[in-house]
Amino acid sequence: MNKNLHKLFVISSPSGGGKTSLLKAFFEDQRAKEITMSISYTTRDRRDGDLEGKDYFFISEKDFLKKQKNGDFIETANVFGNLYGTDKNFIYSELQSSDVILELDWQGAESIKKLFSDAFLISLIPPSYDDLENRLRGRASDSDDIISKRLSQSRKEVSKCLGFDFLILNDEFDRALKDLKDIIFNNLDIMSFKSRVSSELTKYLLDLTK
Ligand code: 5GP
């Protein structure tokens, strides 16, 4: 990656991990004004409250595949049967002038790390699987079928997210927000970030994947 480019951060969490609300609060901070949030393309149906061009660009599968064939995406993933993609030109051009944050699933995070080895991968780790399930069930916009699908994948997602550069424990909103701000605004490197995800929690979360 060109040294003059700005920093690229990828934030992921298992489904229901709470990254959308955390990022919303993050961008309310004045210091985040200089940072660009990428807006993905998706074929998923809009949920109540989703805004076109703010949360996502909602497009048909046909249009998505056309854009994919054109090479318009820097990465794409199929997440729970819907397609998601990150706009390639947007990312390269924004990185000329500002730091950029991508909110992606773990597959997207892995693809970005292959392209930008100095991208910072940040993941939100739940304190337990019950916590994840409660968040998913609390999001009334998803059907039971979708919630079950997401829950059945959550162990794999957690184990992938545990391999990221920065692990933020998402137990309390304010503490998780502080950790996110420390990483991004204070330029913390991996060695100086004191993750609150303990080795016991990691072991507990991974043991359950067996
Ligand atoms: P949701 O449909 O709940 O907004 O997002 C489902 C998952 O897709 C989340 O983990 C979200 O971070 C991820 N996602 C959103 N946009 C993209 C994208 O452009 N690429 C990838 N790989 N994942 C995305």
Side-chain angles (χ1 to χ4, degrees), residues 34-51:
E34 306 294 312
I35 302 177
T36 302
M37 181 77 204
S38 163
I39 300 162
S40 297
Y41 286 78
T42 183
T43 63
R44 88 148 156 72
D45 291 338
R46 273 196 219 193
R47 296 192 190 114
D48 283 350
D50 273 341
L51 293 177

Side-chain angles (χ1 to χ4, degrees), residues 11-15 19-20 38-42 44-45 47 50 56 75-80 82 84-87 103-109 111 139 142 150 157:
I11 303 192
S12 292
S13 70
S15 200
K19 58 189 174 307
T20 309
S38 163
I39 300 162
S40 297
Y41 286 78
T42 183
R44 88 148 156 72
D45 291 338
R47 296 192 190 114
D50 273 341
Y56 284 104
E75 65 77 41
T76 59
N78 183 322
V79 187
F80 306 114
N82 297 310
Y84 295 83
T86 305
D87 189 314
E103 183 198 329
L104 307 176
D105 83 319
W106 65 267
Q107 304 171 84
S111 303
R139 193 161 71 185
D142 287 332
R150 292 186 178 222
E157 291 179 325

Side-chain angles (χ1 to χ4, degrees), residues 6 8 38-39 50 59 83 92 118 160 164 172 181 192:
H6 287 71
L8 184 56
S38 163
I39 300 162
D50 273 341
I59 60 173
L83 302 174
Y92 280 116
D118 51 2
K160 291 288 182 181
F164 280 23
E172 282 171 44
K181 289 183 178 181
S192 29

Side-chain angles (χ1 to χ4, degrees), residues 36 57 69 82 119 128 178:
T36 302
F57 295 107
K69 208 167 153 207
N82 297 310
S128 67
K178 181 181 178 305

